[in-house]
Amino acid sequence: MRSASRRARPRRPAGHAPVRANDTDYGFRPDSDFSWLTGCHAEGAVLVMRPVDGGHEAELFLRAPAGATEADFFANARDGELWIGPSPGLAEWSGALELPCRSLDELPKALRGRIPAILATSHVDPLLDALVPGAPAGELRRTLSELRRIKDDWEVGELRRAVDATILAFGDVAGELPTAIAGGGERWLEGTFDRRARTEGNGVGYASIVAAGPHAPVLHWTRNNGAVAEDAVLLLDAGVEVDTLYTADITRTLPVTGEYSAAQRKVYDLVLTAHHAALAAVRPGAQYMDFHRAAMRVLAEGLHDWGLLPVSPDEALESVNQHHRRYIVCGVGHFLGLDVHDCAHAGAHTYHEGALEPGMTLAVEPGLYFHPNDLTVPPELRGIGVRIEDNVLVTSGGIDILSAALPIEPDALQHWVLTHQP
């Protein structure tokens, strides 16, 4: 069992499905830290870890399903198997996880008298919040995020599966571009990706961005309710989350009819140059921010060459200026794993201010975003948004681009789009 803290007893809940409306819920997805520690995806479960020499002893507390011999089989729509279907019981979970499993009803007794020495994750499970009010939460979250930064071989394999499924889904979307142009629009393409995500895994790893034409410069365009025009590019930022909950996070900016316009190609080529510079800066021992700085320099120099910066690239890149950020207000990458923005609670010295190590997995995603109403850019560039995002593994010798099977060079990507269409 991976240890989190020797001086306190960690409590880590799986959480509950949020209410969608009235008596209907969204689909349940367990807390990522809980899933990483247990491999269990049972709603309402709580992991209790007690410090011992050499690590921790762990027990898992779960809601037991109500079988045919119990009144709740008929009467309880939450746990009765008449309502929810056959479900694993405590013995099945214990055998599968090789972990002692007890009824959730026993959790209050198990915690009695130990509250002052407890670390817990708050605001995930109201039962645990009530049992351990005021228990420190930040340290546990931070420790688990920092432990999760380095992926083992099994985790890397799950990410490869997620990436491979995502590439299949991108191909499905490319094949449906004619239908989207004919009237299906962005929603048709979103549904196309979702179908593959549900078939190959648990679903999408985050809200898909399916942004055509003037929506492409909108960083988080998740409404996906626009039309798809023949002369547009489609910025598709999406990832399949496999059943173990590891997710890909890939972006390609596709020419809808298989060929970029001159203006679209101009923007694409600059972003691609920045992307190559960022990938070249990802290596073990490099500072985490190095690949961000490498991409930003290329973008600033290109924007200056186009006459879009009021100062030199060096001046623009100074922390008090950042003129180029008008056209790229987001970062250039992040950790990737169980969460699309993985390990978000890690301390700054182990993340943004830290160094890259073998086993880290990243999304690298430079872009340029020229909004339709931005009068600081010439008319031919307005409404063009381009992002290129790959998923990479830091290795002892450099990087392994997990998403390399999906082209990024413009000629190859144009050909790839056309080969996927009917």
Side-chain angles (χ1 to χ4, degrees), residues 296-309:
M296 289 298 186
R297 173 159 290 280
V298 170
L299 295 174
E301 290 174 348
L303 291 167
H304 179 266
D305 291 344
W306 294 351
L308 299 183
L309 297 186

Side-chain angles (χ1 to χ4, degrees), residues 157-418:
E158 294 305 290
L159 280 169
R160 290 188 192 279
R161 286 206 306 124
V163 167
D164 290 347
T166 300
I167 293 173
L168 287 176
F170 269 66
D172 295 339
V173 169
E176 293 295 326
L177 285 170
T179 303
I181 294 170
E186 294 168 347
R187 286 188 176 184
W188 185 267
L189 301 178
E190 179 184 19
T192 299
F193 190 95
D194 288 356
R195 182 175 63 249
R196 176 68 71 173
R198 285 291 289 159
T199 302
E200 298 288 332
N202 187 53
V204 294
Y206 53 96
S208 301
I209 297 169
V210 187
H215 295 155
V218 181
L219 289 174
H220 291 165
W221 178 260
T222 56
R223 282 179 257 172
N224 303 336
N225 60 0
V228 177
E230 288 186 342
D231 60 351
V233 294
L234 176 78
L235 192 157
L236 178 61
D237 183 337
V240 173
E241 178 183 85
V242 292
D243 290 333
T244 53
L245 307 186
Y246 287 82
T247 185
D249 177 14
I250 297 173
T251 307
R252 293 294 186 268
T253 305
L254 309 175
V256 168
T257 53
E259 186 174 357
Y260 297 106
S261 70
Q264 293 164 354
R265 178 67 178 259
K266 176 180 178 179
V267 179
Y268 191 96
D269 286 346
L270 179 54
V271 174
L272 180 61
T273 302
H275 188 65
H276 283 308
L279 292 175
V282 178
R283 59 185 183 276
Q287 291 299 300
Y288 173 85
M289 291 302 298
D290 284 353
F291 75 92
H292 297 257
R293 297 186 186 101
M296 289 298 186
R297 173 159 290 280
V298 170
L299 295 174
E301 290 174 348
L303 291 167
H304 179 266
D305 291 344
W306 294 351
L308 299 183
L309 297 186
V311 297
S312 71
D314 286 339
E315 290 175 288
L317 290 164
E318 291 178 4
S319 60
V320 295
N321 293 328
Q322 300 288 294
H323 297 82
H324 59 293
R325 295 301 292 271
R326 179 185 183 98
Y327 312 109
I328 176 170
V329 299
C330 60
V332 179
H334 49 82
F335 283 145
L336 181 68
L338 278 169
D339 293 323
V340 62
H341 296 138
D342 208 31
C343 309
H345 297 277
H349 68 288
T350 65
Y351 197 160
H352 299 100
E353 298 172 6
L356 298 178
E357 303 176 46
M360 290 180 171
T361 47
L362 306 166
V364 178
E365 53 172 338
L368 281 174
Y369 312 96
F370 300 120
H371 287 262
N373 58 352
D374 191 342
L375 301 183
T376 68
V377 298
E380 67 270 17
L381 295 183
R382 295 173 196 166
I384 296 177
V386 173
R387 178 161 64 251
I388 304 170
E389 182 177 22
D390 276 313
N391 299 164
V392 304
L393 166 69
V394 181
T395 67
S396 59
I399 60 170
D400 181 358
I401 302 175
L402 305 180
S403 50
L406 192 57
I408 58 173
E409 297 299 327
D411 291 339
L413 190 55
Q414 289 179 147
H415 178 72
W416 180 89
V417 169
L418 291 173

Side-chain angles (χ1 to χ4, degrees), residues 7-11 115-122 132-141:
R7 68 178 182 81
R9 296 177 174 86
R11 309 291 185 265
I115 291 176
I118 284 177
L119 294 176
T121 303
S122 59
V132 289
E139 181 180 347
L140 181 56
R141 278 285 196 202

Side-chain angles (χ1 to χ4, degrees), residues 15-17 25 28 40 42-46 60-66 76-80 84 87-90 93 101-106 125 127:
H16 295 270
D25 296 336
F28 172 67
C40 175
E43 185 172 4
V46 177
L60 190 60
F61 293 81
L62 305 103
R63 289 190 335 222
N76 188 331
R78 185 189 69 179
D79 298 319
I84 63 174
S87 302
L90 301 181
W93 275 118
C101 294
R102 297 166 62 182
S103 170
L104 194 61
D105 295 338
E106 300 178 35
D125 188 317
L127 172 62

